[in-house]
Amino acid sequence: MARKMEGASKKLQYWRLYLLMLVLGIGGSFQYGIQVSVIASPAVHVQNFVNHTWMLRYGDPVDESTNQLIWSFIVAVLSLGAWIGAIHSGSLPVKYGRKKTLLFNNVVAIVAALFMLFSRMAKSFEMILLGRFLYGYNVGLGLSVHLMYLGESSPKKLRGFLTLTTSIFIGFGKVMGQIIGIKEMMGTEEMWPYLLAVSGIPAILQFGTLFFFPEAPRYLYIDKGDIEGSKQALQWLWQEDDLKLELEDMQKERESMQGEKAKTVKDVLTSRSVRWQLLTLAIPCAGVQFCGINALYFYAFDIFRESGVPKNQMHYLAIGIGATELITVTLCSFLIDRAGRKKLMGYGYLLMGVTMSLLTVMLSIKDLNPWIPYVNIGLIFCVICIYGLGPSGVSMTLPADLFLQAWRPSAYVISGTISWLSMFLVGMLFGYIVDGLGQFCFLIFVAYCILSAAFLLYFVPETKGKTMTEIMEDFNKLNYKSRADDIEKTDDTVATKF
């Protein structure tokens, strides 16, 4: 009993770190979640606004194809903005620090919200396009820096749980976007500009509170060489005086850099010393868009329609799907430091592949029996549950474990580029794939899930509870499998030849 109370007291000492987690989440990955979901509700109102604006300018209504093209670009431009933001996540956090980068990023979101808010008054749908692009930039930069900041401020025993909260905030953002978008709240003709401007609120909250928190301790120590500042930041966040082991780990990582500057994207792509880390980052983590989860969200309404769900109730069922993902990602946060990253993500992908295979079969025979469409709804919820318990959370957590400080910013540039461009491709091409393949489109995602599961379970080492240098040693066994002599080990550091 005394041991349990001591453990609980130990966790409570990190309350300032948990508060930092909350501040980073509400202005970071929450913005991603809400931007993904909130745009669906005002679609009709925005298209009517585009038509009205076109008539005022040119005297004729816009033709349907042009209106649809403008709307599609409004939706898709978020991914392009996020890609630019992800590219800048490799340079801005290195030059100005994680904290200052996020403060600047909040200004971008506030400006975007103002464009949205005054677009109707200015009779300009171009302001919506620009605002959506700036929101994308905010999301792409904020998501990467959020993960860096939190991972570099966390003790190794809490790193998995805390970095996974980025996925919790994404899920929370999706649900909030779906809820405030219903017609009983802000999904009306009168309220849509305010609905699109709502992301300005979390940006203001983070901007006003982040000033009270220190810079990421690992950034201060390893990048800036500010040992005393790093120690003070750790003491303030962790409320712990015995920081010897953490400072020694940072010293080893700093020594392993051998005075080298932050690596470029080209270094990450070409260096043998991070080859397997890069494969792990690219295939199961950044490529998570190809597991079919967003496509499933898109296809869900067709399945609901075939099951006889009334059109005016589909939006509430979609909220149920978003809530299911949020609940399961939250459960994942309690499992990740027990079960480990490798098992949760590997077996998660495997079960997703099996479940989507079954869904493909059931969609093929949906007309044989009236109860089969309801089975399909159940299978959709099963896939969402599996995704939340494994790939969703771990894909955010694992990249923070893979790279040492010098490599991490450029690695996040690569991760963001793959993630956002694949999201753009899936969003633009999925409709055509559905038209061509029907329910068999899910077989593409099944293949990706099975291959990712095999890669994770057979090749990727577990990172749970290990220091950065220990993880690097594990990956070096893969990177230099046939060239063991290329790894030089000393008592205090691990250095790799280039």
Side-chain angles (χ1 to χ4, degrees):
M1 184 70 178
R3 188 175 295 178
K4 286 184 178 179
M5 290 182 66
E6 185 181 347
S9 175
K10 192 77 173 171
K11 289 180 179 178
L12 284 175
Q13 81 176 48
Y14 294 109
W15 68 269
R16 287 175 176 169
L17 184 60
Y18 299 145
L19 197 58
L20 175 64
M21 172 199 75
L22 181 64
V23 170
L24 292 177
I26 203 67
S29 57
F30 175 84
Q31 299 281 46
Y32 169 36
I34 201 167
Q35 285 302 319
V36 167
S37 64
V38 81
I39 196 66
S41 178
V44 174
H45 305 311
V46 174
Q47 288 174 328
N48 288 340
F49 171 69
V50 170
N51 187 54
H52 177 68
T53 304
W54 197 278
M55 285 187 68
L56 289 175
R57 291 180 186 177
Y58 307 110
D60 293 312
V62 63
D63 62 86
E64 189 175 340
S65 60
T66 304
N67 200 350
Q68 183 59 43
L69 180 64
I70 292 171
W71 170 247
S72 297
F73 196 64
I74 287 172
V75 174
V77 77
L78 180 84
S79 300
L80 298 180
W83 178 36
I84 304 299
I87 290 173
H88 285 163
S89 70
S91 56
L92 294 181
V94 173
K95 187 174 182 179
Y96 301 105
R98 282 51 166 159
K99 180 176 173 178
K100 287 182 180 178
T101 300
L102 287 179
L103 291 173
F104 160 74
N105 200 41
N106 288 317
V107 174
V108 174
I110 293 167
V111 172
L114 291 174
F115 275 119
M116 295 297 194
L117 191 62
F118 293 108
S119 58
R120 182 169 57 187
M121 187 183 301
K123 297 180 175 58
S124 172
F125 62 82
E126 292 87 356
M127 290 176 68
I128 299 177
L129 276 167
L130 182 56
R132 183 81 170 154
F133 176 83
L134 291 175
Y135 273 148
Y137 184 91
N138 168 262
V139 165
L141 179 60
L143 186 60
S144 295
V145 182
H146 176 185
L147 282 164
M148 285 184 217
Y149 199 152
L150 198 52
E152 293 168 10
S153 303
S154 306
K156 66 178 183 180
K157 60 187 175 183
L158 292 175
R159 193 171 64 233
F161 165 73
L162 289 173
T163 51
L164 187 142
T165 59
T166 55
S167 288
I168 295 177
F169 279 104
I170 289 173
F172 182 46
K174 286 181 181 178
V175 174
M176 284 300 298
Q178 290 167 335
I179 290 174
I180 64 176
I182 61 176
K183 60 181 181 296
E184 290 84 356
M185 295 191 70
M186 300 177 74
T188 62
E189 178 71 32
E190 182 62 31
M191 294 293 289
W192 68 261
Y194 302 96
L195 176 62
L196 294 180
V198 77
S199 282
I201 297 173
I204 292 170
L205 288 174
Q206 188 182 80
F207 187 86
T209 54
L210 198 57
F211 283 104
F212 299 100
F213 291 89
E215 180 57 89
R218 297 186 79 89
Y219 170 78
L220 290 172
Y221 194 114
I222 299 169
D223 285 295
K224 293 299 182 182
D226 185 359
I227 299 173
E228 188 58 34
S230 174
K231 187 176 179 180
Q232 289 176 2
L234 285 172
Q235 287 174 334
W236 192 87
L237 287 170
W238 298 6
Q239 298 188 83
E240 189 174 315
D241 293 323
D242 185 12
L243 300 167
K244 183 180 177 182
L245 293 177
E246 184 68 21
L247 292 172
E248 285 178 353
D249 180 53
M250 286 192 280
Q251 179 62 25
K252 286 181 181 179
E253 188 172 338
R254 181 173 170 81
E255 288 174 358
S256 72
M257 292 167 58
Q258 299 178 330
E260 297 178 17
K261 295 180 179 179
K263 303 296 183 180
T264 65
V265 170
K266 183 181 178 181
D267 292 331
V268 179
L269 291 173
T270 59
S271 177
R272 184 187 181 111
S273 63
V274 291
R275 182 175 299 172
W276 281 90
Q277 291 97 311
L278 179 62
L279 288 172
T280 305
L281 180 78
I283 298 173
C285 296
V288 74
Q289 300 289 344
F290 293 118
C291 75
I293 194 68
N294 286 332
L296 197 65
Y297 270 101
F298 177 85
Y299 207 72
F301 284 91
D302 292 329
I303 297 174
F304 296 158
R305 195 177 300 109
E306 291 167 2
S307 303
V309 177
K311 187 176 181 180
N312 60 350
Q313 294 181 16
M314 288 183 187
H315 192 75
Y316 302 101
L317 201 54
I319 294 175
I321 289 179
T324 300
E325 183 181 339
L326 174 59
I327 292 167
T328 51
V329 169
T330 305
L331 288 174
C332 181
S333 68
F334 295 102
L335 296 173
I336 191 165
D337 285 320
R338 293 178 174 85
R341 284 75 152 152
K342 176 177 178 174
K343 288 182 179 178
L344 278 178
M345 198 172 194
Y347 288 115
Y349 270 134
L350 182 62
L351 289 174
M352 280 185 72
V354 171
T355 308
M356 282 194 286
S357 298
L358 183 58
L359 179 61
T360 303
V361 172
M362 299 304 288
L363 286 171
S364 302
I365 61 172
K366 65 181 182 293
D367 297 325
L368 295 182
N369 199 296
W371 53 263
I372 291 179
Y374 296 99
V375 173
N376 293 336
I377 291 178
L379 288 172
I380 287 179
F381 276 90
C382 284
V383 174
I384 300 296
C385 285
I386 298 166
Y387 173 74
L389 284 170
S392 176
V394 183
S395 64
M396 293 292 176
T397 301
L398 192 56
D401 295 343
L402 296 176
F403 294 90
L404 296 180
Q405 194 81 5
W407 303 84
R408 194 173 294 122
S410 291
Y412 274 109
V413 172
I414 296 169
S415 175
T417 297
I418 296 171
S419 180
W420 291 111
L421 290 185
S422 60
M423 181 178 177
F424 181 78
L425 288 173
V426 170
M428 293 296 290
L429 300 178
F430 183 69
Y432 299 103
I433 295 172
V434 170
D435 290 339
L437 298 178
Q439 69 273 11
F440 295 105
C441 66
F442 287 108
L443 294 178
I444 299 171
F445 305 124
V446 168
Y448 172 82
C449 288
I450 299 297
L451 289 172
S452 293
F455 176 81
L456 283 159
L457 295 173
Y458 283 99
F459 295 108
V460 177
E462 181 56 72
T463 63
K464 178 188 71 171
K466 296 180 180 178
T467 65
M468 296 296 181
T469 48
E470 288 171 343
I471 293 168
M472 184 183 71
E473 289 174 4
D474 287 341
F475 272 101
N476 275 341
K477 294 173 185 176
L478 295 170
N479 293 324
Y480 297 99
K481 207 168 191 178
S482 59
R483 294 169 58 189
D485 293 339
D486 283 351
I487 305 178
E488 298 178 355
K489 295 186 180 179
T490 67
D491 293 334
D492 298 319
T493 185
V494 178
T496 56
K497 290 183 178 179
F498 298 93

